[in-house]
Amino acid sequence: MGWVAAVARLRARREAGVLVTVATVRGHAPRRAGAKLVVGRTETWGSIGGGNIEAVAIDRARELAGAADPEPELMEFALNDKVTGPHGVQCCGGAVTVLLEPLPVVEAVAVFGVGHVGLELARILARHHLDLHLIDTRPDMLTDERLGVLGDAVAQIRVHHTPLLPEEVLAELPPGAHVLIMTHDHAEDAALCDAALRTAGLGSIGLIGSSAKWARFRQRLATEGGHAQAAIDRIKTPIGIPGIAGKEPAVIAVSVAADLLRAFEQDRRWSVPEPAAVPDRVAAVAYVPAAAPVAGTAAEPVAGTAVGQ
């Protein structure tokens, strides 16, 4: 399997990993510059030459994959019989520099309702590295022509047309997916709120709408749905950044997207253990890794953020 396919597999599994590349070679070495290795939790794909170089790189890659906000790193190896590594000696006679680029698990967002606000929100979120699920019961909201504005998306987009029970998509979402409920139908919004509270493993749940709408929903969720108040409080409404009062679809979308980005930062801060100490042999470098080549455009099926109106 090539490294591009391996990176795509990690993303599909929602598994963190590291892309390891031979950056420079001086003298004799097992592989040329550009050789790549993809390191997952238990598997690896490709090779940077085997031996001590590869084993040490894999060890460090797995440390990085479990760290909070890991940065790309350079590792240098001298290949001579005077240097004994933790996994043996390589005496090719040259020197190798290896670049480790973390491949974090991307955030997932599900937008239920791709109307005026939903589409504006999708346009913003599509510019970010995340898994974006778009769900609507109305086929005319999900046409190729209408979603053509997402054609240059960085996000990996999945589109779900669910004419009867959009809440069934909730069970298909990846763990930790953030849900926004903003459909055209208040009854549909209510059903989605009830189903979201019954779905384990979701991230934040947001509902678009007025205080009067939410008062009705709260009562129904408690009396008809049987949800405890603590569970109901998981639903955030109104959504977006407080203080932004504009009602234009683009304004609402910017506010909601900004609030989501804040939630993503909190996810990174609290869901991963503190990074391990960096060994002396590793030097961190100011380098921004290239985006994983797994971006997509609208193609069924997809999960989405739900926003209610």
Side-chain angles (χ1 to χ4, degrees):
M1 177 184 296
W3 72 270
V4 173
V7 170
R9 174 173 290 190
L10 287 177
R11 180 163 182 168
R13 291 178 178 176
R14 299 190 62 74
E15 177 182 335
V18 173
L19 175 63
V20 182
T21 304
V22 176
T24 64
V25 173
R26 298 186 301 278
H28 296 287
R31 296 296 301 273
R32 295 179 177 179
K36 296 184 185 298
L37 166 72
V38 177
V39 180
R41 185 182 300 113
T42 60
E43 296 179 84
T44 63
W45 299 268
S47 176
I48 58 169
N52 182 68
I53 295 176
E54 188 162 308
V56 170
I58 290 172
D59 288 347
R60 181 55 186 161
R62 288 183 171 144
E63 291 176 358
L64 284 176
D69 291 330
E71 296 289 337
E73 294 182 356
L74 285 175
M75 302 178 70
E76 295 186 352
F77 297 88
L79 308 180
N80 61 66
D81 57 9
K82 295 181 177 61
V83 178
T84 301
H87 298 278
V89 175
Q90 283 180 280
C91 50
C92 304
V96 173
T97 302
V98 173
L99 172 65
L100 289 80
E101 298 177 86
L103 304 169
V105 176
V106 299
E107 298 284 354
V109 179
V111 179
F112 287 85
V114 194
H116 297 304
V117 176
L119 183 60
E120 290 290 346
L121 179 60
R123 293 177 68 178
I124 297 171
L125 296 179
R127 306 305 306 161
H128 297 267
H129 291 287
L130 49 81
D131 290 337
L132 178 59
H133 299 263
L134 303 177
I135 305 102
D136 207 297
T137 59
R138 302 162 293 175
D140 55 324
M141 295 292 103
L142 303 174
T143 63
D144 291 343
E145 181 179 6
R146 189 166 185 270
L147 298 183
V149 294
L150 308 179
D152 61 348
V154 173
Q156 183 168 293
I157 299 178
R158 298 287 184 271
V159 176
H160 300 265
H161 174 222
T162 53
L164 296 177
L165 297 172
E167 56 268 30
E168 291 183 349
V169 175
L170 290 165
E172 303 173 19
L173 297 178
H178 298 271
V179 172
L180 294 171
I181 301 169
M182 47 177 51
T183 80
H184 66 295
D185 184 345
H186 283 201
E188 190 173 308
D189 285 353
L192 284 165
C193 287
D194 177 68
L197 293 180
R198 299 179 190 279
T199 302
L202 295 179
S204 63
I205 305 170
L207 171 69
I208 200 172
S210 66
S211 58
K213 172 184 174 179
W214 179 231
R216 294 194 303 272
F217 276 29
R218 284 189 70 96
Q219 183 176 10
R220 290 183 58 185
L221 289 169
T223 58
E224 299 175 26
H227 297 286
Q229 288 302 316
I232 296 173
D233 288 341
R234 288 189 58 212
I235 299 176
K236 178 179 180 179
T237 187
I239 52 176
I241 300 293
I244 299 179
K247 295 186 177 182
E248 296 83 359
V251 172
I252 297 172
V254 168
S255 176
V256 173
D259 201 26
L260 271 177
L261 292 176
R262 184 163 57 185
F264 296 166
E265 290 296 328
Q266 292 174 343
D267 282 353
R268 283 191 286 271
R269 188 175 306 139
W270 298 111
S271 65
V272 185
E274 288 300 313
V278 178
D280 292 341
R281 70 176 183 272
V282 179
V285 293
Y287 178 90
V288 179
V294 290
T297 55
E300 292 190 335
V302 163
T305 304
V307 181
Q309 295 177 345

